[in-house]
Amino acid sequence: MREIQFREALREAMSEEMRKDDKIFLLGEEVAEYNGAYKVSQGMLDEFGAKRIIDTPIAELGFAGIAVGAAMNGLRPIVEFMTFNFSLVAIDQVINAAAKIYSMSGGQFSIPMVFRGPTGNAGQLAAQHSQNFENWYANTPGLKVVVPSNPYDAKGLLKSAIIDPDPVIFMESEVMYGDKGQVPEEEYYLEIGKANIIQQGTDVTVVSFGKMLPRVVIPAVEELTKEGISVELIDLRSVRPIDYPTIIESVKKTNRLVIVEEAWPLASISTDLGFHVQRNAFDYLDAPVIRVNCADVPLPYAPTLIEAALPNVAKVVKAVKEVSYIKK
């Protein structure tokens, strides 16, 4: 094991797979000459050349469409969006082409490709550049949606996404690219659709994914542990498919559930999780399911309002205590 940054884990995942398969290539804005907007692809142009590390114009719809066509013809493109806010420009290609061609062609065309880039808030970027669309893409049959929370998961899940025969949405975070974590020297893959139980507990199940875990949930759990509340902490890792059995079995043990999600509350991942738990583990619940989401507003620009709108440590602690104080 060695400690590397989140961006380095992503770079290693792409480079390792590209060395094994010359059909894999990366395209997007600034991925080549500039080494990536967040330096994820640093040095890859030198190793793989301009035919496989391709700078594109600021035209998401165009280069996403090119990538879908390449995938239909047997290549394995990795599309980098500078931010998933910009993926809205390409959403027709993602949802109406990549996600549906396998089904609409009767299985004649596989679409082995990855759309990756940062999602969510990253400081004072205002409403149009701070959005979470995990639930939009997770609501689309034909797509897989992965949201890693640490460098180890990022590398193993991205390698699995690249070799997957179906299109994968791979969502990162601008504020996590410099995060460090332990990653093995040897090659490894992680299964898409399998949640990770980070910590065993008995009093309450807390479920989250992506940057909410290191930035909000884990600090909250550490505070709760000091106060004697035993939290079972689960990282979803992917939000399509969702590992419902792991969540349900945990709730059967703890009898309580708190879900933390950066996105808006309506029609969210936490909404879906809450439904499945009440549908499959209702008799085990000793307290209502509580969700901690972003406020149902366009994200503000002012730092104080951002703090008020987004999930934070205090909100998670309050939610866990609320369900924990309802006695078994």
Side-chain angles (χ1 to χ4, degrees):
M1 302 287 283
R2 70 264 147 80
E3 189 175 68
I4 63 174
Q5 291 184 341
F6 198 103
R7 61 167 58 88
E8 294 175 291
L10 297 171
R11 185 186 311 137
E12 285 189 358
M14 292 188 291
S15 297
E16 287 177 5
E17 295 305 316
M18 289 179 72
R19 291 178 193 124
K20 290 188 289 185
D21 186 350
D22 61 10
K23 296 189 296 295
I24 301 169
F25 67 99
L26 172 67
L27 74 163
E29 296 152 355
E30 300 183 349
V31 299
E33 295 290 343
Y34 192 67
N35 289 305
Y38 313 102
K39 299 300 179 274
V40 172
S41 55
Q42 188 163 20
M44 293 181 68
L45 175 63
D46 293 337
E47 179 174 358
F48 298 106
K51 289 186 177 180
R52 298 181 67 193
I53 308 297
I54 304 169
D55 278 330
T56 66
I58 304 174
E60 286 81 6
L61 179 63
F63 65 75
I66 288 170
V68 172
M72 291 176 67
N73 282 278
L75 300 180
R76 289 182 173 271
I78 304 168
V79 175
E80 178 176 307
F81 292 125
M82 192 175 292
T83 161
F84 265 96
N85 296 279
F86 301 162
S87 75
L88 299 190
V89 181
I91 202 166
D92 182 60
Q93 287 296 332
V94 178
I95 288 181
N96 280 331
K100 295 182 173 65
I101 285 174
Y102 179 81
S103 176
M104 294 179 68
S105 70
Q108 294 181 77
F109 292 101
S110 290
I111 310 295
M113 64 184 303
V114 178
F115 298 96
R116 50 158 293 269
T119 183
N121 172 63
Q124 292 179 266
L125 299 179
Q128 293 181 338
H129 293 74
S130 303
Q131 302 172 97
N132 293 82
F133 297 117
E134 295 91 324
N135 57 325
W136 287 29
Y137 290 117
N139 193 45
T140 304
L143 297 176
K144 296 175 182 176
V145 184
V146 177
V147 194
S149 66
N150 59 78
Y152 174 84
D153 286 2
K155 181 176 179 179
L157 290 167
L158 183 54
K159 284 172 68 66
S160 295
I162 293 169
I163 65 172
D164 198 286
D166 299 311
V168 179
I169 306 292
F170 197 92
M171 294 179 146
E172 305 148 11
S173 169
E174 292 176 49
V175 302
M176 289 176 62
Y177 285 127
D179 287 3
K180 293 183 177 180
Q182 294 293 316
V183 176
E185 293 274 3
E186 65 272 12
E187 190 174 359
Y188 68 98
Y189 297 84
L190 293 176
E191 179 184 353
I192 295 174
K194 182 64 178 175
N196 179 34
I197 301 176
I198 296 175
Q199 174 179 300
Q200 298 279 348
T202 57
D203 293 334
V204 57
T205 298
V206 176
V207 177
S208 191
F209 56 91
K211 80 164 180 283
M212 286 289 100
L213 276 154
R215 291 298 187 277
V216 173
V217 180
I218 290 175
V221 169
E222 290 172 350
E223 183 175 326
L224 291 160
T225 301
K226 292 176 184 177
E227 297 185 30
I229 298 175
S230 177
V231 176
E232 180 138 303
L233 179 58
I234 299 178
D235 181 353
L236 284 180
R237 285 178 166 168
S238 70
V239 296
R240 186 180 182 107
I242 291 177
D243 185 358
Y244 297 113
T246 293
I247 311 304
I248 291 165
E249 288 306 308
S250 177
V251 171
K252 287 181 178 180
K253 178 173 69 171
T254 67
N255 311 115
R256 295 162 175 82
L257 175 63
V258 173
I259 309 164
V260 184
E261 178 183 15
E262 186 178 351
W264 298 303
L266 183 64
S268 62
I269 302 301
S270 56
T271 305
D272 179 75
L273 273 178
F275 166 78
H276 277 273
V277 168
Q278 70 83 26
R279 177 70 176 82
N280 296 284
F282 181 79
D283 290 340
Y284 294 87
L285 285 170
D286 288 339
V289 174
I290 292 184
R291 302 182 299 147
V292 183
N293 292 80
C294 181
D296 196 16
V297 297
L299 200 68
Y301 179 77
T304 51
L305 295 178
I306 293 173
E307 177 70 11
L310 289 174
N312 58 36
V313 173
K315 292 176 185 178
V316 175
V317 169
K318 179 182 177 182
V320 171
K321 287 182 175 180
E322 186 175 334
V323 297
S324 299
Y325 290 153
I326 301 175
K327 301 299 182 182
K328 292 185 180 179

